[in-house]
Amino acid sequence: GFSTAAAITSVSGRGVGMDVVRTNIDQIGGTIDIKSVAGEGSSVTIKIPLTLAIVSALIVEAAGDRFAIPQLSVVELVRARANSEHRIERIKDTAVLRLRNKLLPLIHLKKLLKIDDGAASDPENGFIVVTQVGSQTFGIVVDGVFHTEEIVVKPMSTKLRHIDMFSGNTILGDGAVIMIIDPNGIAKALGAAGSSAHDMGDENGAHHIGSGEQTTSLLVFRAGSSQPKAVPLGLVTRLEELPADKIEFSNGRYMVQYREQLMPLVAMEGVTIASQGAQPILVFADDGRSMGLVVDEIIDIVEERLNIEVGGSSSGILGSAVIKGQATEVIDVGHFLPMAFADWFTRKEMKPSMHSQSVLLVDDSAFFRNMLAPVLKAAGYRVRTAPTAQEGLAALRAQSFDVILTDIEMPDMNGFEFAEVIRSDNNLAATPIIGLSALVSPAAIERGRQAGFHDYVAKFDRPGLIAALKEQTAGAAGASELSRAAA
């Protein structure tokens, strides 16, 4: 009785083929509902009893018991071992896994289900089921992984339905009854379900959208004094504890052989590199280069609003902010990177994030966006970031900005083309544009003038960038002095 044919004939709606589907669904106690709206389309809803739902599941072991995890939520499996690329690290009392520049929270399944009998878990080894629920990614540590299996989901007993950790149970081929883990319940236990707006990805740390201020993941540590220090977690590639005997002194500086490369070590003021035992290191890496920042102690990872209330009075410190109820110094990573490699900024076309009067930063490099954010926040700016020129244009048409900062070298549409598109739009033409590039030459400045740039600043010239922002946001009339950038 239902047809999608453009013209109705005597055989329309006979359901040749589809009537078989309906008959079989009726036989197993299911239903089919059809909703059709003229001019909009149709939706077909098929309902079958839960006891007949078949899903693909990963069979795992925890504390001697087997459990099933729906494979739909499983992203990948990681075998964590000591001294391997994937290993379980500990921040204070919290286990974490650094996986491809993402820091994943971990939870031991047997501890979560309280079947570990209080036994201590091996902090260095384990099978980790990387699981995704919505925008949240986390790792479930299990004792063993068996195989994947198609299982028939049986509903939970009414006496057990209040337990969030389980979505049902099933009977395996050997006759064993096992519980099916509900990844949503695991996420809720981790406290991840309520923080879907705060993705732990590479760019979650430092931008402000609309009127609500977003929190930033911060790594808190001690270095040179008892006062805590912090750095945006998005900048940190890895947390290491290197044996002191692996640290070498060469060419007047400390370094270590790290992943088949020599990694320079930079110590903050007051920090002494350990001569024995283990030395905590914060590793910053970008474009094939790594730098190790030597610290005294890694304390914790926290989610806080990064509000720098007091400006820094010494080099390497952006200022002080209240983090977890304690005055904490926020370090300027950009101060330490050139200590490892003098050309760290000049060798790449990239850039960080920001916070000011109302600034749109367009740069295809997540590293530079994350690094500039604290610098511009400390200068008092409110910032929105965009990884491509197209997303920048979408942001400009959604809200107004006082200044636009754009990288020059970007895929698809470079900074000059981006500026020309803005200038051709009557609604955006009056917004000042500042170009950012590692190469500032007279030819590039002239090209920027033709594209409509109000200023042109070298990426590594952070004082020059702040000065240019102040000049443009102060409402200076007309195009500003490109000649100053040339000088």
Side-chain angles (χ1 to χ4, degrees):
F2 176 81
S3 177
T4 58
I8 303 300
T9 67
S10 59
V11 296
S12 297
R14 297 293 179 180
V16 179
M18 294 304 294
D19 62 330
V20 179
V21 176
R22 175 164 188 161
T23 300
N24 281 276
I25 289 176
D26 287 341
Q27 287 177 354
I28 63 174
T31 60
I32 297 182
D33 293 321
I34 299 177
K35 179 181 179 181
S36 181
V37 179
E40 294 185 11
S42 304
S43 60
V44 180
T45 304
I46 300 176
K47 296 180 181 179
I48 61 173
L50 180 64
T51 52
L52 297 174
I54 298 177
V55 299
S56 180
L58 181 69
I59 310 301
V60 300
E61 181 185 25
D65 293 326
R66 286 179 293 177
F67 299 91
I69 300 177
Q71 204 163 342
L72 187 65
S73 301
V74 176
V75 178
E76 62 181 301
L77 294 175
V78 175
R79 179 70 166 103
R81 296 178 183 271
N83 303 320
S84 72
E85 180 181 359
H86 304 304
R87 72 173 185 268
I88 299 174
E89 304 171 1
R90 302 197 73 83
I91 306 298
K92 206 171 182 181
D93 296 325
T94 304
V96 295
L97 173 72
R98 174 69 70 169
L99 182 65
R100 289 187 293 277
N101 293 339
K102 281 193 174 184
L103 201 66
L104 303 183
L106 299 180
I107 188 162
H108 286 264
L109 184 59
K110 58 187 178 183
K111 286 186 177 180
L112 182 66
L113 301 179
K114 300 179 181 178
I115 55 175
D116 59 347
D117 298 327
S121 301
D122 186 349
E124 293 291 340
N125 299 284
F127 293 93
I128 300 172
V129 182
V130 180
T131 308
Q132 184 166 7
V133 176
S135 62
Q136 304 304 310
T137 305
F138 53 90
I140 303 173
V141 184
V142 297
D143 297 337
V145 176
F146 294 109
H147 55 270
T148 58
E149 187 171 324
E150 298 287 332
I151 62 172
V152 177
V153 178
K154 301 289 185 181
M156 292 280 286
S157 165
T158 54
K159 293 183 179 180
L160 301 176
R161 286 178 185 169
H162 66 283
I163 304 176
D164 293 335
M165 300 303 162
F166 303 118
S167 59
N169 50 54
T170 189
I171 303 174
L172 297 182
D174 59 5
V177 177
I178 69 171
M179 305 301 291
I180 302 172
I181 299 295
D182 184 0
N184 292 283
I186 303 288
K188 185 177 179 180
L190 273 170
S195 59
S196 59
H198 309 298
D199 185 18
M200 291 187 68
D202 296 348
E203 303 197 31
N204 69 329
H207 70 213
H208 181 124
I209 301 177
S211 59
E213 187 170 2
Q214 189 172 352
T215 59
T216 301
S217 293
L218 299 167
L219 176 68
V220 182
F221 61 95
R222 287 192 178 90
S225 67
S226 60
Q227 182 183 15
K229 294 179 173 60
V231 62
L233 184 61
L235 292 176
V236 183
T237 303
R238 288 188 67 84
L239 309 174
E240 298 282 1
E241 280 199 346
L242 302 176
D245 57 6
K246 297 293 184 183
I247 299 175
E248 305 174 61
F249 190 80
S250 177
N251 196 27
R253 62 199 307 187
Y254 288 97
M255 54 189 66
V256 66
Q257 296 181 39
Y258 184 76
R259 300 194 174 187
E260 301 180 352
Q261 289 183 327
L262 277 177
M263 179 174 71
L265 300 182
V266 176
M268 297 190 65
E269 184 178 356
V271 176
T272 302
I273 295 179
S275 57
Q276 58 184 7
Q279 175 64 64
I281 303 287
L282 309 184
V283 178
F284 301 89
D286 183 52
D287 198 24
R289 283 187 173 179
S290 299
M291 181 271 280
L293 185 65
V294 181
V295 301
D296 293 330
E297 178 189 8
I298 297 171
I299 302 175
D300 202 354
I301 291 174
V302 300
E303 288 276 343
E304 282 279 356
R305 288 194 300 267
L306 184 55
N307 184 18
I308 298 175
E309 300 181 19
V310 179
S313 57
S314 58
S315 57
I317 303 296
L318 290 173
S320 296
V322 177
I323 297 175
K324 290 300 179 186
Q326 190 171 3
T328 304
E329 293 179 344
V330 181
I331 71 166
D332 179 6
V333 178
H335 172 78
F336 297 101
L337 295 179
M339 293 184 182
F341 296 98
D343 62 343
W344 186 289
F345 296 112
T346 60
R347 65 188 290 270
K348 21 187 175 320
E349 293 290 338
M350 311 160 79
K351 144 172 193 87
S353 126
M354 31 200 349
H355 220 47
S356 178
Q357 200 165 344
S358 178
V359 179
L360 173 67
L361 169 64
V362 183
D363 196 307
D364 61 313
S365 167
F367 181 86
F368 272 87
R369 290 196 304 272
N370 280 329
M371 191 184 66
L372 272 187
V375 174
L376 297 177
K377 279 187 175 184
Y381 288 93
R382 177 169 45 86
V383 180
R384 169 87 179 264
T385 62
T388 64
Q390 285 81 1
E391 291 190 29
L393 289 171
L396 284 168
R397 285 159 184 160
Q399 70 181 90
S400 60
F401 294 90
D402 295 310
V403 182
I404 301 168
L405 299 180
T406 179
D407 186 20
I408 300 301
E409 297 298 328
M410 295 188 294
D412 300 330
M413 182 187 295
N414 63 34
F416 298 127
E417 296 166 340
F418 178 49
E420 288 166 352
V421 172
I422 294 173
R423 289 289 165 259
S424 64
D425 189 321
N426 292 333
N427 295 325
L428 305 175
T431 307
I433 306 174
I434 299 176
L436 298 167
S437 177
L439 180 63
V440 178
S441 65
I445 292 172
E446 179 57 31
R447 176 73 177 88
R449 187 197 305 275
Q450 295 172 0
F453 286 164
H454 288 66
D455 213 334
Y456 199 106
V457 181
K459 279 193 167 185
F460 50 86
D461 183 11
R462 287 176 296 159
L465 174 59
I466 299 299
L469 279 171
K470 288 182 178 178
E471 180 178 339
Q472 297 304 329
T473 54
S480 81
E481 313 156 308
L482 285 172
S483 58
R484 179 177 62 79

